[in-house]
Amino acid sequence: MTIRQACSVVLLLAASVLPVAGGAGASAAAAERGPTVTVAEAPATPGRPVKAAGTGWAPGSTVQVEICGGSALRGSADCDTLRAAVALVAADGTFRLTLIAGTPPAACPCVLRAVAAQGGKRAQTPLTVAGAPDGPSAAAPAPAVRVDVIATALSGGPRFGELFGAPAHRTLTVTLRNPGDRPLGRAPLIVTWGPGADADLPVGKPLTAELPAHAQRTYRIPVRLPAAAFGRYSVGGRYGPAAFSVTTDLYPWGLLGLAFLAVLLTVFTASVLVRRGAERLRARRAAVAVAAELPAFFAVDELTGVLAAAAADSARPGLVSTRAVIRAMTGEAALVDAGELQALAETLRMSPLNEER
């Protein structure tokens, strides 16, 4: 390889490395400057899309972008959270998204605000919203927003189907009060449920209205709990900075009763079968004992006399009482059941006297 060829190879390698290094340096520089958010077009028209982009964000994180009034000094209370959009940050720390513009709950000056879900980093840029009212520019942050939860209740007694495992339907009633001197915007009412004390499964976001100063509102949200629910369940949520929670106990007593009856029926059936088996075993043992006590031979005269005496019953001519025969042969007047009589007949049939005949 000549010197000229070697120089060409080095130049080519340098040209391929420089763009990568430049991109990495730009990304690092953007991270040092902090996160930013920009708007592609201005002013924003309510109901029309708005394209936004950001740089300097943590790769892999999610960023929520929304239009806010009052310079977003009160946080979410000044923002149009119902039309907010969420984007995933790329590996180079940038994101792009499109959201539908709306009129924020607070008067302008308006901004486009971006907030990271992880870490809490945020950035904003001025934005003009067509038709939005203008208000005085606040030089200092407003006092912290406060919302009081006056009452929470979970109503709706157990229905007949719930006793046998049907889904449980309840109604969550929440009464909120604004103790401040400024009205609160349409903050989202987030309702969740879950087993035990963990209410982390979403129910929905009911529509809310502006909460005037020193006023209170009551919201009723239907909640559907799962089928065959067993034990304690929590239903809670959040409205702005205020959080609430209420619990309820759900037990399918109908299913438990059916299971208990099934166990009782199984035990009763098993006991009857065991008792019948024991009775059959005792009858067989008694028949064997009676047969063992009988003599091997009977005198013909005695047996003839017994048969003649037993056949003397005028009510049943030509018939011999089985009890009379058994009493004569065993010397007992006890009752003999069919099993014992069958064993006795089998013994008589197999006796030596029958063999000689």
Side-chain angles (χ1 to χ4, degrees):
M1 179 183 294
T2 63
I3 297 177
R4 180 175 297 179
Q5 292 175 341
C7 292
S8 300
V9 172
V10 172
L11 290 175
L12 289 174
L13 291 176
S16 62
V17 171
L18 284 177
V20 176
S27 180
E32 292 179 358
R33 290 194 303 267
T36 62
V37 62
T38 58
V39 184
E41 298 178 0
T45 303
R48 302 288 297 175
V50 175
K51 296 181 179 181
T55 59
W57 299 88
S61 62
T62 56
V63 179
Q64 178 172 317
V65 181
E66 53 198 359
I67 298 176
C68 307
S71 298
L73 296 178
R74 297 185 304 169
S76 299
D78 291 334
C79 301
D80 185 11
T81 56
L82 295 178
R83 296 178 179 85
V86 178
L88 180 65
V89 179
D92 59 354
T94 64
F95 70 85
R96 295 180 183 274
L97 57 78
T98 301
L99 71 157
I100 303 300
T103 302
C108 289
C110 298
V111 296
L112 185 70
R113 188 179 76 150
V115 181
Q118 299 85 9
K121 291 186 177 182
R122 61 189 61 197
Q124 63 187 42
T125 185
L127 178 66
T128 302
V129 180
D134 293 330
S137 300
V145 178
R146 176 184 166 190
V147 179
D148 294 338
V149 180
I150 303 301
T152 57
L154 203 61
S155 59
R159 302 177 182 177
F160 181 78
E162 297 177 16
L163 299 177
F164 296 92
H169 295 269
R170 299 292 185 271
T171 300
L172 175 66
T173 304
V174 183
T175 302
L176 305 171
R177 181 177 180 273
N178 178 12
D181 297 328
R182 299 180 58 184
L184 298 179
R186 296 174 58 185
L189 178 60
I190 302 173
V191 181
T192 57
W193 71 275
D198 300 329
D200 52 2
L201 301 175
V203 172
K205 294 183 180 180
L207 295 178
T208 59
E210 184 180 277
L211 187 58
H214 305 289
Q216 68 182 33
R217 291 186 185 276
T218 299
Y219 296 96
R220 293 176 176 84
I221 304 98
V223 180
R224 183 179 183 272
L225 298 175
F230 186 89
R232 174 157 295 184
Y233 285 79
S234 298
V235 179
R238 179 173 54 84
Y239 179 85
F244 54 88
S245 179
V246 63
T247 60
T248 182
D249 294 329
L250 299 175
Y251 294 97
W253 295 114
L255 287 180
L256 297 179
L258 290 178
F260 182 71
L261 290 178
V263 172
L264 288 181
L265 182 60
T266 303
V267 173
F268 176 76
T269 304
S271 63
V272 169
L273 294 177
V274 171
R275 185 170 63 252
R276 289 181 179 177
E279 291 176 355
R280 293 192 186 99
L281 182 60
R282 286 196 299 268
R284 292 175 182 175
R285 291 179 177 176
V288 172
V290 171
E293 294 177 356
L294 291 176
F297 296 93
F298 291 93
V300 176
D301 297 338
E302 294 180 2
L303 185 57
T304 302
V306 170
L307 294 177
D313 190 357
S314 60
R316 299 178 179 84
L319 298 179
V320 178
S321 174
T322 304
R323 294 184 179 180
V325 176
I326 298 299
R327 188 183 302 113
M329 290 187 293
T330 60
E332 298 178 356
L335 296 177
V336 179
D337 61 10
E340 296 178 356
L341 184 59
Q342 183 178 2
L344 178 59
E346 184 68 18
T347 304
L348 292 174
R349 186 179 64 83
M350 299 178 61
S351 65
L353 182 59
N354 290 335
E355 293 180 358
E356 291 179 359
R357 292 183 180 179

